[in-house]
Amino acid sequence: MKRIFIMLLIVSSAITTTSAEPTAAPQKKPVGVIATLNDIIQKFGLNEGQVFSVNRNPNTGIMESSTKIVPFSCPTSEIHNNNLLKAVSINFQKEEPLSYQFQHIQPGSNENIYLMVIDNDGKGNNVRIRSNKRQEMWMMCTKNPENPQLRDAYAVTWELSEDKQKAMGTVYMITSLRPDVYVKNLETSKKTFKIEGRVDADIKDSLYNIYIANTAEELERIGDDDYVACVPVINKRFEWQTELDHPVVGRLRCIFPDGELCSAWINLDFVPGETYRITVHNGYYDEDRDYERRVGRQSGKSLLNERQSRGIDDVVADELMSDDIVEDTVVIDTIPGYNEPVTPRQSSRWEPKPEQMMQIEAKGMAMKANMDAIKATYASLEPHFKMKSLTGSDRIFEQITKLNKDLDAKFQDFIKYLKGLDVPPTEKAEKTNTIGEVHKQILKFYTEQNQGFTEMYKKVGVLTKAAQKTQKYINGLTEKYMKEMSKAIVGMR
């Protein structure tokens, strides 16, 4: 399966560069609701108790979450004079079709309302929106127009004071990951072990093999090809997780861009319910010191033996621990050979037959060619961006739609072929993992097209009907592959 995965990375490299300008179909924002809520904040918002936060992806600058919570207080006469409460009622009901979740609760109901908010690490917390039966509440949740993996929530609650002279309430405007898509992250059990890794900018590591064994002795005897996962390095980062019933020992070993397996590796304790954060340098790595103190090498609970815990072979210790290695680092473990060299076992790992590999490569290259064509077609819109008008571009968008339809068909055929490969039971988990990664990459491709349409709108001001139609189609594909990826992740687990 390793050859398949390396080939897929060639295809995915096209994915990350395909959508320079473009991306998919924004649903409209509830502009009336937003304007009304901002009007309440501007006229009656209180400074005390406000919450504002925005998180953006450091690489793309795209917003990943935001929170705006503002308490307000005003005389009831002012509310009625400004028709704000009436505007709330009118605009929430008018723009309800844009939402996928909508609620209006009158005073007197005992129902308390909580909004599930998922942060960028997939962890969730509940924000209380309605807390007592004296409050009236309006709330709607919509898909974020720039990224359908996000949800925009708009809500307002208020109650009258005992003398009915004041209305006191709170406005909520929150963007976060959609719970219906990422609910699995909230349900992550205490069995999940995760690695979050980074590599130095000057290191060319492209893949990491992950190995697992129950004991240190088993880990010493493990063969080069006995890995359980092959994880790609994307933008100098890599992530991997698995479900464990009990602590085990594990190993990270790099594959270079030419396919060569590195002669050095990193041994770690894999502990259920924990995340190991690691940064790999040239010949050493920054350990997760908190992890090592709590459950790893310094905890007294480590399953690694003495040599593995040191992370370095005595034979090369003096050479590696030179002046250019900083003090708070751990040197990567070296080739087996504590007393005598250990010869790796001959691999019995399944590999595709030559004719199967030819099919896989042909299908993968066809997908890559399709992606390159999509990229080139988007690039042909550049003169329209300079003129700030999409007039006369209908045929370009028709071609983009057609190319994406072709790509969708090729991708489905590719996945069908991978699923149909007959592999030994020991390989089934890896095949499922590979299919999940393919879904992840294709979803990234469509999401980037979706974001590109947002940038397009900023440049030209108005999208033509043909552009909107293409955008809607891309958005549909994004939704489709979000669902397929969720199913694939469940299969991986």
Side-chain angles (χ1 to χ4, degrees):
M1 294 297 286
K2 178 172 70 176
R3 289 179 63 195
I4 296 177
F5 198 86
I6 292 174
M7 188 281 303
L8 293 178
L9 289 178
I10 297 174
V11 177
S12 70
S13 67
I15 292 174
T16 58
T17 59
T18 296
S19 52
E21 273 304 332
T23 314
Q27 128 186 7
K28 295 179 181 179
K29 281 181 174 287
V31 292
V33 168
I34 294 172
T36 300
L37 296 182
N38 282 329
D39 200 17
I40 293 173
I41 292 172
Q42 182 179 1
K43 289 181 170 66
F44 306 116
L46 303 176
N47 291 326
E48 186 176 354
Q50 290 191 11
V51 177
F52 286 97
S53 68
V54 177
N55 293 313
R56 299 184 184 277
N57 185 295
N59 297 314
T60 65
I62 296 172
M63 186 183 70
E64 295 180 336
S65 65
S66 69
T67 300
K68 187 177 185 179
I69 302 175
V70 182
F72 66 89
S73 175
C74 64
T76 53
S77 58
E78 281 292 319
I79 289 183
H80 293 298
N81 290 339
N82 284 277
N83 291 320
L84 283 183
L85 287 186
K86 187 176 180 180
V88 168
S89 174
I90 291 174
N91 286 312
F92 267 87
Q93 292 183 75
K94 178 182 178 181
E95 296 177 322
E96 180 274 331
L98 295 176
S99 70
Y100 66 87
Q101 184 178 355
F102 186 92
Q103 282 182 289
H104 174 218
I105 300 179
Q106 295 277 15
S109 169
N110 290 319
E111 186 175 4
N112 291 335
I113 300 298
Y114 292 83
L115 183 71
M116 181 182 291
V117 177
I118 302 177
D119 64 22
N120 298 332
D121 295 323
K123 298 177 181 178
N125 63 84
N126 290 321
V127 176
R128 178 180 285 188
I129 304 297
R130 185 177 191 266
S131 57
N132 67 69
K133 65 180 183 179
R134 297 185 302 276
Q135 294 176 328
E136 182 168 357
M137 184 201 78
W138 290 85
M139 183 176 75
M140 68 188 309
C141 295
T142 70
K143 289 182 291 185
N144 182 276
E146 296 183 4
N147 184 350
Q149 298 185 61
L150 301 180
R151 176 199 64 192
D152 295 333
Y154 306 97
V156 58
T157 61
W158 70 87
E159 63 183 281
L160 299 179
S161 60
E162 292 185 4
D163 60 7
K164 311 296 184 184
Q165 297 301 306
K166 282 188 177 182
M168 298 166 290
T170 307
V171 170
Y172 302 86
M173 303 170 78
I174 300 174
T175 296
S176 64
L177 296 174
R178 279 173 55 187
D180 60 314
V181 176
Y182 289 90
V183 68
K184 284 293 178 183
N185 289 340
L186 294 178
E187 296 173 353
T188 298
S189 70
K190 294 182 180 179
K191 294 183 179 181
T192 302
F193 168 74
K194 185 175 182 181
I195 295 174
E196 294 179 356
R198 299 184 180 186
V199 300
D200 262 350
D202 59 343
I203 291 181
K204 297 181 179 180
D205 298 0
S206 59
L207 297 164
Y208 276 90
N209 281 351
I210 308 290
Y211 303 81
I212 292 180
N214 285 314
T215 66
E217 291 71 24
E218 288 182 17
L219 190 63
E220 289 284 4
R221 298 193 299 268
I222 207 160
D224 290 352
D225 291 328
D226 291 333
Y227 54 85
V228 298
C230 189
V231 183
V233 178
I234 300 174
N235 294 329
K236 300 301 178 182
R237 296 172 182 266
F238 62 95
E239 287 189 7
W240 176 78
Q241 68 181 44
T242 188
E243 302 289 314
L244 299 173
D245 293 323
H246 55 81
V248 296
V249 289
R251 173 174 295 169
L252 281 68
R253 194 169 182 183
C254 168
I255 299 176
F256 298 122
D258 62 2
E260 180 183 355
L261 188 63
C262 182
S263 61
W265 56 69
I266 302 168
N267 288 338
L268 301 172
D269 289 281
F270 288 8
V271 181
E274 297 287 345
T275 298
Y276 198 101
R277 295 173 176 85
I278 185 170
T279 301
V280 181
H281 304 283
N282 188 11
Y284 66 99
Y285 68 94
D286 293 337
E287 67 177 358
D288 189 330
R289 284 181 284 178
D290 176 66
Y291 182 101
E292 297 291 4
R293 282 194 296 266
R294 290 186 297 101
V295 295
R297 289 182 172 92
Q298 287 95 48
S299 68
K301 305 173 186 177
S302 176
L303 298 178
L304 297 170
N305 61 33
E306 180 182 355
R307 171 180 167 277
Q308 291 170 328
S309 294
R310 286 205 307 274
I312 181 169
D313 195 325
D314 295 330
V315 177
V316 294
D318 292 337
E319 178 182 351
L320 289 176
M321 296 301 288
S322 59
D323 293 338
D324 62 340
I325 297 179
V326 297
E327 183 177 358
D328 289 329
T329 60
V330 177
V331 178
I332 297 174
D333 197 11
T334 57
I335 305 171
Y338 188 47
N339 291 315
E340 297 179 351
V342 177
T343 302
R345 295 178 297 184
Q346 292 297 315
S347 173
S348 59
R349 197 172 194 80
W350 177 88
E351 289 287 348
K353 296 176 182 178
E355 59 270 23
Q356 292 174 326
M357 201 63 213
M358 287 178 62
Q359 284 285 331
I360 291 168
E361 290 175 350
K363 292 177 186 294
M365 290 302 101
M367 289 168 57
K368 182 180 183 299
N370 216 138
M371 294 172 188
D372 289 340
I374 292 171
K375 177 182 177 180
T377 308
Y378 276 123
S380 67
L381 289 167
E382 186 61 33
H384 291 276
F385 298 147
K386 291 179 179 178
M387 294 186 296
K388 297 185 177 181
S389 172
L390 292 178
T391 301
S393 64
D394 288 4
R395 295 191 65 180
I396 295 176
F397 286 104
E398 289 171 2
Q399 180 67 10
I400 290 170
T401 300
K402 182 181 182 301
L403 288 169
N404 274 287
K405 286 181 179 178
D406 293 342
L407 177 61
D408 179 37
K410 290 173 182 175
F411 178 74
Q412 292 296 328
D413 177 65
F414 185 60
I415 289 297
K416 182 179 179 180
Y417 188 81
L418 286 184
K419 288 181 176 179
L421 292 176
D422 187 19
V423 301
T426 55
E427 298 293 321
K428 290 188 182 298
E430 185 180 346
K431 185 174 81 167
T432 302
N433 183 65
T434 300
I435 292 171
E437 287 296 331
V438 181
H439 277 94
K440 183 177 180 181
Q441 292 298 330
I442 201 74
L443 175 60
K444 182 179 180 182
F445 175 69
Y446 286 122
T447 300
E448 287 177 350
Q449 286 193 70
N450 188 23
Q451 294 161 354
F453 269 100
T454 302
E455 293 302 314
M456 194 184 303
Y457 179 81
K458 292 178 181 178
K459 289 186 177 184
V460 300
V462 177
L463 299 183
T464 62
K465 289 184 178 180
Q468 292 176 27
K469 184 177 180 180
T470 300
Q471 186 183 35
K472 184 176 180 179
Y473 180 72
I474 299 297
N475 195 46
L477 290 176
T478 306
E479 290 288 325
K480 171 182 175 179
Y481 285 107
M482 284 171 64
K483 293 176 181 177
E484 289 197 10
M485 188 183 74
S486 297
K487 291 178 182 178
I489 290 173
V490 172
M492 290 165 60
R493 294 180 177 179

